[in-house]
Amino acid sequence: MEHRDLYTGFIRLHILHHAAQEPIFGMGMIEELRHHGYQISPGTLYPMLHML
């Protein structure tokens, strides 16, 4: 469980980093995360964006 929390934390930091630079969009963010080695589905990303 700790590894999953750490992984999710890295994804959130990455999202916040990009959001601070420019407006972000779900599918564009999924592609950006894939570029950095993260595999995340829309069903995971959109609730995460909503919580941020």
Side-chain angles (χ1 to χ4, degrees):
M1 184 68 169
E2 290 178 17
H3 295 289
R4 184 171 186 245
D5 291 342
L6 184 60
Y7 183 76
T8 302
F10 284 138
I11 291 172
R12 287 180 180 160
L13 283 173
H14 201 103
I15 291 169
L16 290 172
H17 168 75
H18 283 279
Q21 293 179 345
E22 61 189 5
I24 61 169
F25 303 93
M27 291 308 293
M29 197 68 240
I30 287 173
E31 290 299 318
E32 176 64 25
L33 291 167
R34 282 188 186 145
H35 176 72
H36 292 281
Y38 298 105
Q39 295 295 321
I40 188 168
S41 71
T44 302
L45 178 66
Y46 285 104
M48 190 180 296
L49 289 174
H50 182 73
M51 289 187 333
L52 291 174

